[in-house]
Amino acid sequence: MASATGIPQRIPDADTGAAETEPLLGRAGDAAQKQGAPLISNLWLGTGWIAQAGALLLLAVVWAGVFLNPLLPLVSPHPLLQSLGVFTITQAILILQPTRTAEGKLVGARAHAALNLVSFLLLASGIAVIETNKGTDRAAHFHSPHAYLGVVTGALLLLQYLFGFLIWAVPAVLGGDAAARSLWRYHRWSGYAVYLLLLATVATATRTPYSENVLGIKLWSVLVASALVVVGVFPRISVTKLGLRRSQ
């Protein structure tokens, strides 16, 4: 049964509608928010704790690299803000993934939007810092794969933010509630794709002169942390929310 907004009012039990709570990996219900469970528990539900371990490890690697070396006012804030932005995006994904009931989806969507707003402000601030540095030093804006990938990822993230906001807040722009609801699956598909691109952008940062000559962050450490995040986030993806159906 669905409300006027298209959000299910009741989630079937595993034996009557397993597909409704079936993740990409695991059994039905493994990554589904239980009735009455606090929203915050979504952050570590199922394989979520693995994603949290990876996200914290990535944050620790970057912040240790920055604070264990001389701080540069127009450079050091960039990796600090960007890594915190990635961490916040991870929380935004994890908080919403397991929601199933109408109430859970509503509260989860609000938390997801709030966290994404915070991540946008963090990432935008980090970009502003490094662009100010390049302008002050008259340095080249594009001198590494990280710079090119950063621009592409930043642009796609901005589009993803706007896409999600339009679907959620002003569906009339997209043709009304029904038309907007039909676009949710594409927002999810593109969101997971951009998230992978974001992790790749972090990995390429280890090959910049600043990282190699000052921070000393190793590529393998970022790859290990990113792998943990992927292993924690992607198995929890809902088959139904992606518009997929498995044969029964």
Side-chain angles (χ1 to χ4, degrees), residues 4-192:
T5 61
I7 299 176
Q9 296 295 316
R10 175 181 174 275
I11 299 303
D13 295 329
D15 59 343
T16 60
E20 292 293 329
T21 61
E22 186 177 8
L24 284 180
L25 294 177
R27 299 170 300 176
D30 280 353
Q33 184 179 5
K34 303 300 186 292
Q35 187 71 33
L39 185 69
I40 195 171
S41 65
N42 290 353
L43 294 176
W44 57 81
L45 182 66
T47 56
W49 66 272
I50 301 177
Q52 293 291 5
L56 288 170
L57 176 60
L58 184 60
L59 197 66
V61 165
V62 174
W63 282 49
V66 172
F67 284 110
L68 291 177
N69 289 284
L71 297 178
L72 304 174
L74 290 180
V75 180
S76 299
H78 177 69
L80 295 176
L81 290 166
Q82 302 308 88
S83 59
L84 193 56
V86 173
F87 179 82
T88 306
I89 289 177
T90 303
Q91 308 310 307
I93 294 172
L94 293 173
I95 200 74
L96 184 60
Q97 275 184 323
T99 56
R100 292 296 180 271
T101 65
E103 181 182 2
K105 287 183 178 181
L106 178 61
V107 178
R110 289 172 177 169
H112 180 75
L115 287 166
N116 273 321
L117 175 59
V118 173
S119 70
F120 171 75
L121 295 174
L122 290 168
L123 295 173
S125 298
I127 292 173
V129 167
I130 202 64
E131 287 303 310
T132 300
N133 174 70
K134 290 180 181 296
T136 301
D137 294 344
R138 296 185 179 180
H141 289 271
F142 300 101
H143 63 87
S144 67
H146 174 68
Y148 286 101
L149 196 56
V151 169
V152 172
T153 304
L156 291 176
L157 266 175
L158 180 58
L159 291 175
Q160 180 70 5
Y161 288 139
L162 292 175
F163 187 28
F165 176 78
L166 290 176
I167 297 174
W168 178 57
V170 283
V173 174
L174 302 172
D177 288 339
R181 286 198 304 273
S182 68
L183 297 175
W184 272 123
R185 70 183 64 179
Y186 302 110
H187 176 68
R188 295 184 181 102
W189 277 103
S190 58
Y192 287 121

